[in-house]
């Protein structure tokens, strides 16, 4: 394969669902041996386009050529036969099988009609080695970390000797360290002439790895450019269609007395001897690699998980937090990382979600006051400009960013003095992200104490007043923002001294 | 971990499929909203055309009376399904508990205290199931089956496995009496249904029940006491079936330990046919009762037509399978309701 040959050419691809035009006349050309990034906000059409490419959707109009030959893919198996492999973010792996069995799932090497386990283990070891991953092919998949599982998913795609690999948000559960490792693998695959399509929200990362960038907005292709001549600001402008001046605006606020104090807290497994305090009007960042114990710590403070040692004080008084209800009484609120699983009840309306933690307060003789309930929902729908501005709409139908705003509203309705935010902007688009930051800024300006867990270092550095870095269950001392840099945080998070 | 792409895909497909669901096919929309009303109407029309007895006051009073006993259980069972508790299989035991105790205790403590004690004890059985399910985390099917079997065993042993007869004919007369031409037992059922509907749709406990069924972890993270809410659904069902059993005992003036057999399936059938999701998070008492009305009318028509019992069972079985399949299909199209 010559490096400049065209792997994929999609021309005039449109996809219409009754009432919605998801894609309108998109052109995409991807070369062998290059990394082609596709960026865009939520709902820009990236996923629909990839579903067309993977054979899940048949386009309404348009043609697809693979290596110069026009093809018509009616089902995912057609795309796989043509050498197209998808690496989904939701991993399509079987936790109870071994790494090797997962890599060869559905196409095990056979000998005399039986699975040839030895060959499978051998081949898997070779592939993992080629990818530079140190994973035991015999290990049970479920015992691996999420990032290792992701590597297995990539190995699985790679083992099929694909011509085109599509990676859908591959780094959303990876730390910066692991992202770097992934990029090494991608570069290796690129050298072998594989065409790589890289879908991501993370603009900076895209510029680091991609050779070409295609920007989608509202189902249309805005532009395709070489990654060299484009800046972060420009790309964001193209994605959102307007200039986002400051990605992480910091609202100045007055810092007051400590509100929440955590003393020697530990759960004897995920985190140990954690000490910190958050003050009125302050945003305390909590960062570190995935698996460092950040979420477990936040859950323990909120009463969703049990701490076995240490104590928690609110306003100088020790509190016992055995359940979320107790945490709410103590003035603590928690916006979970996993919005879909822990943040929203998708079948309920926005209104019913918002009032959930305060239902009892809105009730008299057990009956929920609909007037108070509606008033609350209307207030936040307006204040946070939740779109569409209809509190009766089922929350599951809202976009990620608007769901997150509703989840925030839910907790503000409980009027907490401390707000724990776990990855509050993960999976929301650039515009909504800025808005969530603005809301957080207003909250601290109003005297709330905020603990924000985030893996996104620019966000941590941009928004937080002080930062704690966690590593293997241990927390560093809080460091002032002024004394921090991305390099410093990474050094603390990985335990490696910055060079 | 929030997966960005899942989010994105859900955003686009949910919206589009929902559009298709709503805008594309008014027929599907009509069926999902008013399907049951149409079905009930169809049975009414068919019944009145094919049988001269169908559209008579006497027949309707019969249907209502036989509906009342199982209907009270349906109200409770609605809570169990909505909270995501699958089903309560201890209903036959709690009904037996209610029927036998309300009769057996009459000579000892008098009719009214016996009635109350019977219901309270049934509620206690529900509390045990509820604690096992909500707090210990045992599968509801296993827990209620286990508790039901044990309770039934105790009740059988207590009465020595024989039939208990009533000693106070006044109580039977009271239950069988009519107010404005409506049997008292039907009025009790209506009262229970109205209270159940109010609790599920208007009270914070009801909202908690729906939220817990819709997404238990999110409800828990929203300071909803999910364990208590789950346990509560089983207590509510047990109290309902205790009441139902007590009324049954007083009506029949006799009770065997197996008096409640089959009521659990009748109740589950009604709730499921009413369109309440077996996965929880969605449903209302009026819907469940509409399901019950449909099933009862259909059975009534089949009886009047002389359809044999095995065939009746076959039809009801098809109905449950159809209702569940429809639920699954609507869930898929509606984007994971």
């Amino acid at each position: 394969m010559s490096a400049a040959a065209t792997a994929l050419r999609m021309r005039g691809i449109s996809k219409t669902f009754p009432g919605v035009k998801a894609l309108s006349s998109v052109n995409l050309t991807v070369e062998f041996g290059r990394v082609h990034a596709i960026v865009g906000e939520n709902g820009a059409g990236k996923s629909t386009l990839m579903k067309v490419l993977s054979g899940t959707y048949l386009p309404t109009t348009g043609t697809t050529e693979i290596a110069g030959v026009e093809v018509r893919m009616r089902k995912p198996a057609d795309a796989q036969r043509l050498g197209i492999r998808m690496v989904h973010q939701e991993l399509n792996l079987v936790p109870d099988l071994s790494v090797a069995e997962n890599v060869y799932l559905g196409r095990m090497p056979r000998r005399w009609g039986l699975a040839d386990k030895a060959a499978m283990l051998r081949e898997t070891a070779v592939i993992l080695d080629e990818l530079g991953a140190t994973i035991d092919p015999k290990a049970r998949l479920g015992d691996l970390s999420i990032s290792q599982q992701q590597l297995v998913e990539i190995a699985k795609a790679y083992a099929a000797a694909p011509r085109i690999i599509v990676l859908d948000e591959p780094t959303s559960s990876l730390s910066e360290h692991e992202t770097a490792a992934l990029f090494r693998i991608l570069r290796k695959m690129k050298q072998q002439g594989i065409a790589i399509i890289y879908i991501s929200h993370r603009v900076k990362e895209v510029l680091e790895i991609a050779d070409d960038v295609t920007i989608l907005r509202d189902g249309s292709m805005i532009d395709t450019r070489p990654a060299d001549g484009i800046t972060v600001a420009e790309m964001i402008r193209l994605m959102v269609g307007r200039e986002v001046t400051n990605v992480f605006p910091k609202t100045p606020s007055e810092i007051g007395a400590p509100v929440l104090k955590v003393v020697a807290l530990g759960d004897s497994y995920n985190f140990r001897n954690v000490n910190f305090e958050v003050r009125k009007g302050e945003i305390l960042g909590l960062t570190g690699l995935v698996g460092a114990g950040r979420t477990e710590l936040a859950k323990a403070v909120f009463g969703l998980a049990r701490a076995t040692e240490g104590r928690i004080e609110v306003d100088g008084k020790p509190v016992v937090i055995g359940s979320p209800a107790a945490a709410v009484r103590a003035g603590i609120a928690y916006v979970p990382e996993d919005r879909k699983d822990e943040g929203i009840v998708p079948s309920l309306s926005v209104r019913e979600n918002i009032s959930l933690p305060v239902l009892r307060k809105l009730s008299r003789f057990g009956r929920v006051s609909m007037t108070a309930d509606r008033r609350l929902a209307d207030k936040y729908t307006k204040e946070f400009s939740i779109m569409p501005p209809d509190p009766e709409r089922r929350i599951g139908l809202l976009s990620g960013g608007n769901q997150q705003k509703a989840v925030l509203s839910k907790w503000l309705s409980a009027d907490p003095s401390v707000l724990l935010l776990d990855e509050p902007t993960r999976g929301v688009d650039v515009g909504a992200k800025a808005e969530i930051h603005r809301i957080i800024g207003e909250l601290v300006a109003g005297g709330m104490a905020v603990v924000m867990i985030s893996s996104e270092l620019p966000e941590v550095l941009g928004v937080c007043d002080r930062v704690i870095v966690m590593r293997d269950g241990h927390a560093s001392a809080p460091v002032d923002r002024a004394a921090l840099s991305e390099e410093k945080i990474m050094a603390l998070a990985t335990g490696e001294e910055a060079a | 971990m929030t997966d960005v792409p899942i989010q994105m895909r859900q955003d686009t497909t949910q919206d589009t499929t929902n559009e298709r669901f709503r805008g594309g096919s008014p027929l599907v929309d009509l069926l999902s909203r008013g399907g049951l009303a149409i079905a009930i109407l169809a049975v009414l029309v068919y019944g009145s055309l094919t049988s001269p007895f169908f559209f008579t006051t006497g027949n309707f009073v019969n249907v209502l009376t036989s509906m009342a006993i199982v209907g009270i259980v349906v109200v409770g069972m609605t809570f169990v399904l909505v909270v995501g508790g699958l089903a309560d299989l201890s209903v036959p035991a709690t009904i037996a508990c209610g029927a036998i105790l309300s009769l057996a205790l009459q000579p000892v403590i008098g009719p009214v205290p016996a009635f109350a004690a019977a219901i309270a004890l049934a509620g206690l059985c529900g509390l045990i199931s509820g604690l096992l399910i909500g707090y210990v985390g045992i599968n509801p099917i296993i827990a209620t089956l286990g508790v039901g079997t044990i309770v039934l065993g105790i009740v059988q042993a207590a009465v020595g496995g024989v039939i208990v007869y009533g000693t106070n004919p006044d109580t039977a007369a009271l239950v069988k009496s009519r107010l404005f031409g409506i049997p008292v037992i039907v009025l009790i059922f209506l009262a229970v249904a109205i209270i159940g509907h109010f609790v599920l749709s208007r009270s914070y406990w009801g909202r908690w029940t729906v939220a817990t069924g819709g997404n238990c972890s999110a409800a828990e993270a929203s300071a909803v006491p999910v364990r208590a809410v789950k346990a509560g659904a089983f207590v509510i069902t047990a109290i309902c079936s205790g009441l139902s059993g007590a009324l049954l005992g007083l009506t029949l003036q006799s009770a065997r330990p197996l008096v409640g057999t089959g009521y659990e399936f009748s109740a589950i059938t009604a709730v499921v046919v009413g369109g309440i999701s077996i996965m929880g998070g969605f449903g209302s008492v009026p819907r469940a009762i509409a399901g019950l009305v449909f099933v009862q009318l259909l059975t009534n028509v089949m009886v009047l037509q002389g359809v044999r019992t095995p065939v009746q069972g076959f039809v009801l079985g098809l109905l449950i399978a159809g209702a569940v399949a429809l639920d699954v299909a609507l869930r898929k199209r509606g984007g994971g309701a």
Side-chain angles (χ1 to χ4, degrees):
Chain A
M1 275 174 247
S2 76
T6 301
L8 168 73
R9 183 172 308 221
M10 295 173 105
R11 260 186 281 214
I13 298 283
S14 298
K15 178 72 190 171
T16 317
F17 298 105
V20 178
K21 190 150 195 181
L23 286 176
S24 62
S25 174
V26 171
N27 299 316
L28 179 68
T29 306
V30 181
E31 313 281 333
F32 281 119
R34 285 175 84 83
V35 176
H36 194 116
I38 296 177
V39 297
E41 291 191 294
N42 281 347
K46 293 173 293 185
S47 301
T48 313
L49 185 63
M50 287 310 112
K51 282 193 171 174
V52 170
L53 180 59
S54 66
T56 311
Y57 289 159
L58 203 61
T60 314
T61 62
T63 59
T64 304
E65 282 174 24
I66 306 285
V69 184
E70 187 169 333
V71 294
R72 218 170 144 71
M73 296 176 290
R74 293 171 182 283
K75 52 183 188 294
D78 293 345
Q80 290 186 5
R81 220 172 10 251
L82 289 162
I84 301 170
R85 290 281 153 173
M86 314 286 289
V87 176
H88 292 286
Q89 221 286 305
E90 83 267 37
L91 305 170
N92 289 318
L93 298 170
V94 187
D96 283 320
L97 292 182
S98 73
V99 169
E101 283 163 332
N102 268 291
V103 168
Y104 280 97
L105 197 65
R107 37 179 218 96
M108 299 206 181
R110 270 180 225 167
R111 221 163 87 173
W112 301 313
L114 298 171
D116 187 348
K117 277 211 161 172
M120 197 169 73
L121 286 172
R122 211 166 45 235
E123 303 277 323
T124 306
V126 170
I127 286 161
L128 288 172
D129 194 50
E130 268 180 49
L131 295 178
T134 47
I135 299 172
D136 178 6
K138 277 184 282 202
R140 188 180 155 270
L141 188 96
D143 294 337
L144 303 181
S145 69
I146 293 289
S147 55
Q148 283 176 317
Q149 293 189 17
Q150 182 120 37
L151 285 180
V152 173
E153 177 89 37
I154 291 170
K156 181 179 163 189
Y158 180 71
R163 295 194 283 181
I164 301 170
I165 283 191
V166 181
L167 298 122
D168 199 352
E169 295 283 354
T171 59
S172 63
S173 60
L174 300 188
S175 67
E176 307 232 337
H177 210 59
E178 292 157 344
T179 302
L182 172 72
F183 285 180
R184 277 197 295 279
I185 291 171
L186 293 186
R187 291 196 183 101
K188 206 170 266 176
M189 296 204 291
K190 190 170 111 172
Q191 277 163 17
Q192 295 173 8
I194 299 172
I196 298 166
I197 297 177
Y198 188 95
I199 301 170
S200 184
H201 270 107
R202 301 190 172 179
V203 175
K204 260 184 139 174
E205 250 174 50
V206 163
L207 289 183
E208 192 184 332
I209 186 71
D211 300 303
D212 307 292
V213 180
T214 290
I215 297 127
L216 293 181
R217 188 171 75 221
D218 303 330
S220 303
M221 201 196 77
I222 300 303
D223 203 358
T224 296
R225 300 189 188 184
D228 286 342
I230 189 167
T231 63
V232 171
E234 208 177 346
M235 200 144 93
I236 290 175
R237 185 178 55 77
L238 290 170
M239 278 163 67
V240 299
R242 66 190 130 79
E243 197 88 44
V244 177
T245 43
N246 188 353
V247 189
F248 303 109
K250 171 94 182 117
T251 329
S253 67
E254 202 160 308
I255 290 175
V259 182
L260 171 75
K261 191 172 178 191
V262 169
V263 185
L265 202 69
D267 71 350
S268 57
Y269 181 67
N270 293 305
F271 59 93
R272 282 168 299 272
N273 192 24
V274 173
N275 297 281
F276 66 83
E277 59 179 32
V278 209
R279 295 166 293 180
K280 227 169 138 65
E282 178 183 48
I283 304 178
L284 178 72
L286 194 56
T287 187
L289 304 181
V290 171
R294 301 168 305 173
T295 297
E296 291 79 2
L297 172 62
K299 284 191 171 172
V301 173
F302 186 63
L304 271 174
R306 204 164 287 278
T308 52
E309 57 201 36
R311 62 176 198 276
I312 297 167
E313 290 175 12
V314 176
D315 292 328
K317 287 184 280 291
V319 287
V320 178
I321 292 171
S323 70
V328 172
R329 275 195 299 277
I332 302 171
Y334 169 64
V335 175
E337 171 185 20
D338 194 327
R339 187 170 50 241
K340 240 192 169 68
D341 282 350
E342 295 186 326
I344 61 167
V345 181
S347 52
L348 292 185
S349 67
V350 172
R351 166 175 61 79
E352 289 164 321
N353 268 282
I354 288 177
S355 58
L356 206 47
V358 291
L359 267 187
R360 244 170 137 160
K361 272 194 233 159
L362 300 183
S363 303
R364 269 185 64 191
F365 307 116
R367 180 182 177 277
V368 179
S369 155
M370 290 303 283
T371 337
D373 196 11
R374 288 212 183 90
R375 200 182 308 130
L376 198 67
D378 284 341
K379 177 182 160 207
Y380 286 111
T381 310
K382 278 204 196 78
E383 209 167 302
F384 293 166
S385 49
I386 294 172
M387 295 300 289
D390 171 18
E392 298 307 317
R393 199 172 166 84
R394 233 168 57 200
I395 198 169
L397 298 174
L398 267 56
S399 75
N402 284 302
Q403 287 179 357
Q404 190 69 319
K405 285 193 256 174
V407 173
L408 266 172
S409 311
K410 174 170 91 176
W411 281 113
L412 297 180
S413 73
D415 194 22
S417 52
V418 187
L419 188 60
L420 311 172
L421 301 166
D422 198 349
E423 302 280 4
T425 62
R426 168 172 289 178
V428 307
D429 56 53
V430 182
K433 201 168 190 161
E435 205 157 342
I436 289 169
H437 286 141
R438 178 184 62 75
I439 292 169
I440 298 171
E442 279 171 16
L443 292 175
V444 288
M448 199 175 286
V450 171
V451 179
M452 184 168 90
I453 298 177
S454 175
S455 301
E456 215 183 307
L457 297 186
E459 178 177 69
V460 171
L461 290 169
V463 174
C464 302
D465 297 294
R466 292 185 303 154
V467 178
I468 290 174
V469 183
M470 284 191 79
R471 177 165 69 90
D472 291 337
H474 293 281
S476 76
V479 188
D480 271 341
R481 175 162 72 133
L484 276 178
S485 63
E486 291 193 29
E487 292 74 20
K488 181 97 190 286
I489 291 180
M490 278 325 288
L492 286 167
T494 57
E496 291 162 21
E497 278 310 309
Chain B
M1 239 150 283
T2 306
D3 299 334
V4 175
I6 293 185
Q7 204 60 52
M8 291 180 336
R9 220 197 21 243
Q10 295 262 346
D11 284 349
T12 48
T13 51
Q14 268 185 0
D15 272 343
T16 48
T17 46
N18 203 55
E19 285 299 325
R20 178 168 50 201
F21 178 48
R22 260 193 281 130
S25 171
L27 186 70
V28 175
D29 188 38
L30 184 71
L31 280 179
S32 78
R33 275 174 217 277
L36 210 48
I38 296 168
I40 290 172
L41 214 66
V43 174
L44 281 176
V45 170
Y46 179 81
S48 49
L49 288 179
T50 52
S51 165
F53 300 107
F54 182 77
F55 228 85
T56 59
T57 321
N59 187 41
F60 279 141
V61 167
N62 277 345
V63 171
L64 277 174
T65 312
S66 76
M67 205 171 90
I69 296 289
V70 66
I72 295 171
V73 181
V74 164
V75 174
M77 196 66 92
T78 306
F79 280 80
V80 166
L81 268 88
V82 169
V83 86
L86 299 173
D88 184 345
L89 298 185
S90 68
V91 164
T94 37
I95 286 185
C97 191
I100 290 177
L101 287 176
S102 66
L103 293 180
L105 292 179
Q106 265 180 12
V108 191
I109 54 175
V112 175
F115 192 75
I119 295 170
L121 237 83
L124 188 69
C125 301
L127 184 64
I128 295 169
S129 304
L131 292 177
L132 289 175
I133 294 157
Y135 290 83
V136 186
I138 296 176
N139 179 293
I141 301 286
I142 306 298
T144 54
L145 199 60
V147 169
T149 311
I150 292 169
V151 168
L152 205 55
I154 294 173
V155 169
Q156 255 170 327
V159 299
V162 296
I163 298 177
V164 178
Y165 292 98
T167 50
N168 190 337
D170 293 348
T171 54
L174 178 70
V175 174
K176 284 181 187 160
S177 68
R178 294 187 182 195
L179 208 64
F180 313 117
I182 305 167
V184 166
I185 203 162
V186 174
L187 292 175
I188 293 177
F189 159 56
L190 286 177
V192 170
I194 289 168
I195 294 170
H197 176 53
F198 172 82
V199 170
L200 189 57
S201 69
R202 291 271 177 267
S203 76
Y204 68 82
W205 189 271
R207 190 84 67 76
W208 280 354
T209 302
V210 181
T212 303
N215 184 350
C216 187
S217 356
E220 190 183 10
S222 304
V224 174
V226 289
R227 292 154 188 264
V229 171
K230 272 190 205 162
F234 289 89
V235 175
I236 291 171
T237 306
I239 289 175
C240 285
S241 31
L243 171 64
S244 176
L247 292 173
L248 190 63
L250 295 181
T251 313
L252 301 173
Q253 284 297 305
S254 73
R256 316 167 278 126
L258 295 182
V259 65
T261 310
Y263 278 93
E264 77 279 34
F265 289 115
S266 305
I268 295 166
T269 306
V271 177
V272 170
V273 169
I276 285 150
S277 173
I278 42 170
M279 314 303 283
F282 172 79
S284 72
V285 171
R287 265 174 174 271
I289 288 171
L292 176 68
V293 168
F294 176 62
V295 171
Q296 292 285 325
L297 284 177
L298 192 68
T299 311
N300 182 245
V301 167
M302 286 195 287
V303 170
L304 290 177
Q305 291 283 299
V307 175
R308 286 179 303 132
T309 316
V311 181
Q312 288 182 24
F314 181 74
V315 170
L316 290 181
L318 275 183
L319 219 65
I320 299 181
V324 172
L326 196 68
D327 174 39
V328 172
L330 286 178
R331 243 165 212 274
K332 272 193 187 147
R333 304 186 72 156

